[in-house]
Amino acid sequence: MPDYENYKIAADYILERTGFKPELGIILGSGLGHFGDEIEDPIEVPYSDIPGFLQSTAIGHAGKFIFGTVSGKKVACMSGRFHYYEGYDFEELALPVRVFKLLGVRALIVTNAAGAVNESYKPGDIMLIRDHIKLMGGSPMRGKNLDEFGERFFDMGNAYTASLRKLALEAAEGSELTVREGVYFYMPGPQYETPAEIRAIRILGGDAVGMSTVTEVLTASHCRLPVLALSVMTNMAAGVLPQPLTSQEVIDTAKRIEKPFTKYVKDLIGRI
Ligand code: HPA
C-alpha cells in the first residue's frame, strides 16, 4: 500500500514536468473521454510516465492526464479512470484522487455512464449524484490511515457538495439536457446487474447504478475535497426493457449525448 511519500512523488513528478497548478480535477467516464478535446493549450502526461501510477485497462479509456484551460479555469483532467473490475483493490483506487489533492485542486468533477433504475428516467438524461449506496464491503481508506490526508473515521453526509449541485442545477436551466438529482448505487461489475438486483436496488432507494465513482468520492471525502458527480443515463437498467443490455447501447447513448453534455460541463466549469 502506498505511503504519503509515494503519492507525493507522483504529484511532484507532474508538477515539475508540467509547471501547471490546476484549480479543478476532472475524471471522465466511459464514452465521455472526448471532453479532453475541449481543453485549451493541452499538456498531456500519460499515466505510464508517472512513478507509481496505475495503468488503465478499460475499453474507451485513454490513460493520460490532460492539463489546460476550460472556460477560463485551469483543469487537470483524467482521460481514463480505474475501476475495481479491472482487478485493482479498493485501496489502490485511492491513488488518482490523492494525486489531485496534492496537485492542489479545490474541487473534483467526476462523470460516469450509469444504468437508469428509476423508471421515470430516460437514456440520455443526466443525474447529479446527491448521495450514494455502496453495500459491498471494502473501502479505499481500509488499512493504515494516512493522517496527512484525513481522519480515520470521516463524515459522508455532504460528500456530494450541496453548493456545487446547486450550481449544476442552475447551469442546467440553459441546457437542452434533462438534469435532476438522484442516488447512485455502486455495483462492482464487470457484469451488468440481474433484473432481481435492479428491483432490489430500486427498493433500497437507488435511482441509477454504475461501476465507478464511489471509490473516488470516498477518497475525496476523506481529504475534504468538494465533489460534483454527474451520471449519464446510458441505458435503462437490467430488466426494465425486454432486450438484453449491451455495452454497445452504453457507448451509443454516450455518443449521442456527448455534444450537449460537453457544452453543459464546460458551462458548469465556468461557474465553479
Ligand atoms: N449497470 C452498471 N453500470 C453501468 C450500466 C448499468 O446498467 N450502464 C452503464 N454503466
Side-chain angles (χ1 to χ4, degrees), residues 113-115 192-193 209-211 234-235 245 250:
Y192 291 121
E193 298 69 33
V209 61
M211 307 173 194
T234 49
N235 54 280
L245 255 174
V250 170

Side-chain angles (χ1 to χ4, degrees), residues 30 112-117 184-185 187 189-193 198 208-212 232-238 245-246 250:
S30 329
N112 63 50
V117 174
Y184 180 89
F185 197 103
M187 288 292 272
Q191 69 283 354
Y192 291 121
E193 298 69 33
I198 295 301
V209 61
M211 307 173 194
S212 68
V232 175
M233 300 300 109
T234 49
N235 54 280
M236 296 312 290
L245 255 174
T246 64
V250 170

Side-chain angles (χ1 to χ4, degrees), residues 32-186:
L32 308 167
H34 290 288
F35 182 80
D37 300 340
E38 301 294 322
I39 299 176
E40 299 156 39
D41 305 320
I43 310 172
E44 296 192 353
V45 180
Y47 299 154
S48 54
D49 290 358
I50 304 169
F53 215 77
L54 311 175
Q55 304 308 320
S56 200
T57 68
I59 301 162
H61 289 258
K64 62 187 176 194
F65 275 98
I66 311 171
F67 300 89
T69 307
V70 176
S71 303
K73 300 281 156 65
K74 292 172 82 177
V75 303
C77 179
M78 279 181 72
S79 183
R81 66 139 60 94
F82 304 102
H83 309 79
Y84 180 74
Y85 62 72
E86 293 174 79
Y88 301 110
D89 297 330
F90 279 124
E91 291 87 334
E92 291 179 284
L93 295 172
L95 189 126
V97 173
R98 287 184 161 171
V99 169
F100 272 135
K101 176 75 179 177
L102 293 175
L103 292 177
V105 303
R106 60 180 166 80
L108 179 67
I109 303 171
V110 291
T111 69
N112 63 50
V117 174
N118 186 320
E119 286 170 300
S120 73
Y121 292 6
K122 293 187 312 300
D125 288 356
I126 310 300
M127 187 186 87
L128 292 175
I129 306 183
R130 173 163 37 82
D131 204 347
H132 77 229
I133 301 173
K134 179 174 91 65
L135 298 183
M136 185 197 178
S139 165
M141 268 66 251
R142 181 169 178 266
K144 179 172 161 245
N145 187 57
L146 297 185
D147 299 333
E148 295 91 338
F149 287 111
E151 294 175 39
R152 166 83 298 179
F153 301 105
F154 56 101
D155 183 45
M156 287 296 293
N158 190 28
Y160 298 87
T161 311
S163 56
L164 295 178
R165 284 188 276 123
K166 184 161 174 282
L167 287 180
L169 286 174
E170 284 165 13
E173 284 168 23
S175 162
E176 64 195 81
L177 297 168
T178 301
V179 181
R180 54 165 93 71
E181 293 188 304
V183 173
Y184 180 89
F185 197 103
Y186 175 77

